[in-house]
Amino acid sequence: DFGFFGPISVSFLKALRWIYGHVRNYGAAIILLTVGIRLLLFPLMHTSTVSMRKMQKLQPKMKEIREKFKDDKERLNREVMDLYRTHKINPLGGCWPMLLQIPVFFALYKALLNSIELRHAPFVFWIQDLSEKDPCYITPIIMGATMFLQQKMTPVAGDPNQQKIMMFMPLIFTFMFLTFPSGLVLYWLINSTWGFAQSMYLQKKMG
């Protein structure tokens, strides 16, 4: 049972089997499938990151407007919308691309968590069963580190306290994934590494 996104999960599982037929290693197949999905979703991620960076640059002006019109909510909302129009920014531009990705990543998560194909399937060296946890906890620790680096580089607009809470997410995910199947952790590791590399590329490109 792959849950609500079952049809998408089954499609991913078929793709995983097809890749395995060529590389004969399910670990390598997970890596290639994850990279392929990230390439397909790159335009969405690019749009989301660009929008968030534009929002981040407007934060000083947003703060000024909030302080100036804090007692007049109607004027405050009007000034904020005028600011968005002036700079041609859609306030939902950073959210919608991320929301559209949720079914994709959740479906792949369910496929890797429940697939019988990973049972007793070796990857490399210390990982000899992709359906069991990483016995040395190497992959979840590296995954947490890459998530932390990506979090540091991702522009976040909003309350500073909320930003501090978000910085704890990599630590929470690391502890969660310590006992997860190593095949699933491998997917999240490659996903996080790709996200970190993409953030570096966009930061360099946008300045």
Side-chain angles (χ1 to χ4, degrees):
D1 181 11
F2 292 112
F4 185 77
F5 299 111
I8 305 176
S9 297
V10 171
S11 299
F12 285 147
L13 191 55
K14 289 180 179 178
L16 187 67
R17 289 172 181 165
W18 182 83
I19 297 171
Y20 173 78
H22 291 79
V23 299
R24 309 308 298 176
N25 184 298
Y26 270 112
I30 290 172
I31 293 173
L32 292 173
L33 179 60
T34 306
V35 170
I37 292 171
R38 292 293 305 208
L39 285 171
L40 288 174
L41 294 177
F42 180 82
L44 286 176
M45 284 298 297
H46 178 77
T47 301
S48 176
T49 306
V50 169
S51 179
M52 286 190 292
R53 286 196 179 279
K54 288 181 178 179
M55 288 285 291
Q56 188 183 42
K57 290 180 179 180
L58 285 183
Q59 286 308 297
K61 292 183 179 180
M62 291 282 287
K63 187 177 180 180
E64 289 179 9
I65 292 174
R66 289 193 183 101
E67 290 178 355
K68 186 176 181 180
F69 302 105
K70 59 183 178 181
D71 298 323
D72 187 349
K73 289 189 176 181
E74 185 178 344
R75 180 69 185 278
L76 172 63
N77 292 331
R78 191 162 61 247
E79 291 292 331
V80 169
M81 294 309 297
D82 287 342
L83 184 65
Y84 288 150
R85 278 194 290 268
T86 300
H87 293 271
K88 298 179 180 180
I89 295 176
N90 181 357
L92 297 177
C95 300
W96 283 115
M98 297 179 72
L99 290 174
L100 291 173
Q101 294 176 68
I102 291 176
V104 174
F105 289 121
F106 190 75
L108 185 54
Y109 161 83
K110 294 291 286 186
L112 295 176
L113 187 65
N114 297 319
S115 61
I116 194 65
E117 286 79 5
L118 301 186
R119 188 171 177 81
H120 302 307
F123 178 36
V124 290
F125 305 123
W126 71 97
I127 299 179
Q128 293 300 312
D129 188 345
L130 287 166
S131 67
E132 295 290 336
K133 68 177 184 179
D134 183 335
C136 300
Y137 303 111
I138 294 174
T139 49
I141 291 174
I142 297 175
M143 180 207 73
T146 55
M147 284 187 68
F148 176 77
L149 292 172
Q150 184 183 3
Q151 189 81 41
K152 291 283 286 184
M153 296 184 67
T154 301
V156 180
D159 181 55
N161 292 324
Q162 184 180 1
Q163 295 177 26
K164 291 178 181 178
I165 293 172
M166 289 299 294
M167 292 303 295
F168 282 100
M169 291 302 293
L171 184 62
I172 295 171
F173 267 77
T174 300
F175 277 103
M176 283 175 52
F177 276 64
L178 287 176
T179 57
F180 276 24
S182 52
L184 180 60
V185 179
L186 179 62
Y187 149 66
W188 207 261
L189 169 60
I190 300 304
N191 189 56
S192 299
T193 303
W194 182 279
F196 172 63
Q198 185 170 318
S199 296
M200 287 187 65
Y201 165 75
L202 290 175
Q203 186 181 57
K204 185 177 180 180
K205 183 178 180 182
M206 296 181 65

